[in-house]
Amino acid sequence: MAEIKVTGSALGTPLQQLLMADSIEPGSDVGYQLAKLIYLYHPLGAKMADAPVSKAMSQARDISIPDSPEDLVREAFLKEWKKLKADENIAACAGAARIYGIGAIVFGGKDIPTDQAIEPDQLPGLSIYFNVLDPLNTAGSLVLNQNPNAPDFQKPVVVTAAGQPYHRSRAVVLMNERPIYIAYTNSAFGFVGRSVYQRALFPLKSFIQSMITDDMVTRKAGVLIAKIAQPGSIIDNIMKAVAGIKRQLVREAQTDNVISVAPEESIESLDLQNVDKASESARRHILENVAAAADMPAKMLNQETFAEGFGEGTEDAKDLAQYIDRVRIWMQPAYDYFDRIAQHRAWSPEFYKTIQAAFPKEYGEVAYVDAFYRWRNSFTAEWPSLLIEPDSERSKTEKVKQEAIVDIISVVAPLLDPENKARLLDWAALNIGENKILFPNPLEFDLDELRAYVPPTQPAIEPGEGERADAASRRFRRAA
């Protein structure tokens, strides 16, 4: 075992004491302290816990609130989302869940007991805070009921931090993997999910060994072997001095220097070729074993390029995208939790007064509660695809959509009355407005004017005018 000696006593780091112990074998369990040490000190610890979460959150969600003054309402929501530091809190909770097996977020308000619910109308003017809790903070409350006939069977109900319970509406819990019946998780202090390190503990230990090998090879790679003819059995001080001078010359030799050796002598570097191949292969297999144990793509650990996946058809990029989509689904409860809080705080009664002043015709007589839930019901947040197409390809796709919209209008509009024709054009405007590549500015119609609009009567075409118009149109197209 690698160790540091201070005045004759062997001292090892906590990570060495644990991961280099002979008692760690395939199937060994991970406790809370070991999971924390791996995350803090192991080269793969933070990557295994945080890399999937960071990759999943690398793109912002596409927020859409069509049944509202969308730009203003969305801007207010995103501003409040940033103010609450929602992304940071979600990432911290998801990371804790992957490290230990379970994590929780709770929020509190000034002068409000933690075991009481906070009504939605209190949220806009309340000074609130968020705390991310790990299993040591919530020990005893997130053990989970193992009675298969209970309504809360293997479901988190109440979150308690240091003996202080939080109302269930004020907490959200994430578990890494689902709980297994009567399978206690030491790192999480309960019958809950499990640490991402649990199955990978033994290969994580092997990875430390590979690091020691790398260090040894690095230190030995610069060794030079000087094959110098040895003097006879009878040697005097002069021969000793000559041999020492030769070794010193070899040590000090640099680029542009010239040294001489006897024909029967030679200078070589230490041959580490076989060691290099063996250590490289072992290290690659260790990384693959760790990735397989953690159920994550191996390329996320070894940082290989994904470029060949597109050229050679290996589907590596698609596999990664599918994996990240599953991570996003797993994190969705935390996003729903923050969405609800951000909506109530962003779309406050004071904010609604500004909307009424800006849009008196649409919202002047609409109650705040009705408008709020109309916006909330039309609220959607979708993740963009990780496989981003170039703008040229996206433009082609959008062009096909626009042509389909035009075809529908051309066929259906002549058959509709003014009321339904106005609805059709409103539907077309909303769909066209989603294409920000071709149409950065939204298309808007006044539906009331469309309903009341009567198209002018077409003048009768005199005999021969149709043929002359067609001929003029053909000449124009040829000229163009």
Side-chain angles (χ1 to χ4, degrees):
M1 179 180 73
E3 56 186 25
I4 302 173
K5 291 186 177 180
V6 180
T7 63
S9 62
L11 299 177
T13 66
L15 185 64
Q16 288 177 334
Q17 294 173 6
L18 291 170
L19 284 186
M20 302 299 293
D22 294 335
S23 59
I24 294 181
E25 299 176 351
S28 296
D29 205 353
V30 177
Y32 175 87
Q33 183 64 19
L34 179 55
K36 179 182 289 187
L37 288 173
I38 293 175
Y39 179 76
L40 290 176
Y41 299 112
H42 198 287
L44 300 179
K47 183 175 291 187
M48 292 176 65
D50 295 338
V53 177
S54 300
K55 193 69 175 178
M57 301 179 69
S58 62
Q59 297 170 295
R61 298 180 300 168
D62 294 329
I63 306 296
S64 177
I65 316 164
D67 197 5
S68 72
E70 189 163 17
D71 292 338
L72 295 176
V73 175
R74 179 174 54 240
E75 182 181 355
F77 174 84
L78 294 176
K79 183 178 179 180
E80 186 62 30
W81 182 272
K82 185 177 181 180
K83 185 177 179 181
L84 295 176
K85 296 183 178 180
D87 287 329
E88 291 87 339
N89 287 303
I90 292 174
C93 180
R98 289 180 63 83
I99 295 169
Y100 304 109
I102 195 167
I105 306 175
V106 296
F107 82 93
K110 187 177 181 180
D111 299 328
I112 298 180
T114 59
D115 58 351
Q116 293 183 9
I118 296 179
E119 299 299 329
D121 57 358
Q122 295 179 273
L123 288 172
L126 192 64
S127 177
I128 64 175
Y129 62 88
F130 294 89
N131 291 333
V132 178
L133 308 177
D134 73 10
L136 191 60
N137 306 133
T138 60
S141 63
L142 293 177
V143 178
L144 300 196
N145 190 349
Q146 295 301 293
N147 180 5
N149 296 314
D152 61 344
F153 173 58
Q154 293 190 337
K155 300 181 184 70
V157 178
V158 178
V159 175
T160 300
Q164 192 166 326
Y166 281 81
H167 191 272
R168 62 188 306 171
S169 66
R170 295 167 59 176
V172 64
V173 177
L174 291 179
M175 286 189 289
N176 184 54
E177 302 183 14
R178 66 182 186 277
I180 303 299
Y181 182 57
I182 315 183
Y184 189 82
T185 303
N186 289 326
S187 60
F189 306 114
F191 298 92
V192 294
R194 57 209 53 82
S195 169
V196 72
Y197 309 133
Q198 181 160 314
R199 301 187 189 94
L201 182 58
F202 189 74
L204 285 173
K205 173 184 176 181
S206 301
F207 188 84
I208 299 296
Q209 295 284 5
S210 73
M211 292 172 58
I212 295 173
T213 302
D214 289 343
D215 179 68
M216 182 202 70
V217 171
T218 302
R219 287 186 286 111
K220 298 299 182 182
V223 174
L224 294 179
I225 301 174
K227 298 180 180 180
I228 301 174
Q230 297 298 316
S233 58
I234 301 175
I235 184 169
D236 55 16
N237 291 333
I238 296 177
M239 295 299 295
K240 286 182 179 180
V242 170
I245 292 172
K246 286 185 177 181
R247 289 193 297 270
Q248 187 64 27
L249 288 174
V250 172
R251 174 178 294 180
E252 295 179 357
Q254 302 179 29
T255 304
D256 294 335
N257 291 156
V258 177
I259 63 174
S260 61
V261 295
E264 65 275 9
E265 298 176 344
S266 66
I267 300 173
E268 301 175 359
S269 62
L270 189 63
D271 187 4
L272 297 174
Q273 181 175 357
N274 294 331
V275 174
D276 178 64
K277 292 181 179 179
S279 61
E280 182 180 352
S281 176
R283 187 185 186 90
R284 185 177 65 255
H285 291 162
I286 290 171
L287 288 172
E288 292 174 353
N289 291 337
V290 171
D295 190 23
M296 58 189 301
K299 287 184 177 291
M300 292 194 71
L301 292 181
N302 55 28
Q303 295 295 317
E304 290 182 10
T305 178
F306 287 89
E308 65 179 12
F310 297 100
E312 303 297 332
T314 57
E315 303 294 321
D316 290 330
K318 290 184 179 180
D319 289 342
L320 175 66
Q322 292 171 356
Y323 172 74
I324 295 303
D325 285 341
R326 295 199 305 271
V327 175
R328 288 171 172 175
I329 294 172
W330 170 67
M331 297 167 59
Q332 190 59 43
Y335 277 92
D336 294 338
Y337 172 81
F338 274 99
D339 283 343
R340 178 179 64 86
I341 297 172
Q343 288 167 356
H344 281 286
R345 288 177 62 86
W347 306 334
S348 63
E350 290 73 17
F351 172 76
Y352 185 61
K353 290 178 182 179
T354 63
I355 295 297
Q356 286 182 310
F359 303 92
K361 189 174 182 180
E362 293 85 353
Y363 292 96
E365 303 298 328
V366 179
Y368 164 72
V369 175
D370 295 337
F372 176 85
Y373 283 102
R374 183 191 303 173
W375 298 348
R376 184 173 178 180
N377 292 336
S378 66
F379 177 91
T380 59
E382 297 182 355
W383 290 104
S385 174
L386 287 172
L387 302 176
I388 302 175
E389 296 180 342
D391 288 344
S392 58
E393 295 297 325
R394 295 172 62 189
S395 298
K396 293 178 182 179
T397 303
E398 294 297 336
K399 182 180 179 182
V400 174
K401 294 180 180 179
Q402 305 308 323
E403 292 175 350
I405 293 173
V406 172
D407 291 340
I408 292 173
I409 294 175
S410 301
V411 174
V412 179
L415 307 176
L416 300 178
D417 58 273
E419 173 70 24
N420 288 309
K421 187 178 294 185
R423 293 182 179 179
L424 176 65
L425 292 177
D426 183 51
W427 166 84
L430 290 175
N431 281 278
I432 292 173
E434 291 183 355
N435 182 6
K436 302 300 182 182
I437 299 177
L438 297 178
F439 306 105
N441 298 315
L443 175 63
E444 297 180 353
F445 290 116
D446 190 322
L447 298 185
D448 293 334
E449 292 187 3
L450 280 176
R451 294 186 185 98
Y453 175 71
V454 178
T457 304
Q458 295 292 336
I461 299 178
E462 296 294 332
E465 287 186 3
E467 290 79 358
R468 289 194 298 272
D470 291 340
S473 176
R474 287 193 295 270
R475 287 196 300 272
F476 176 79
R477 287 196 297 269
R478 286 196 299 269

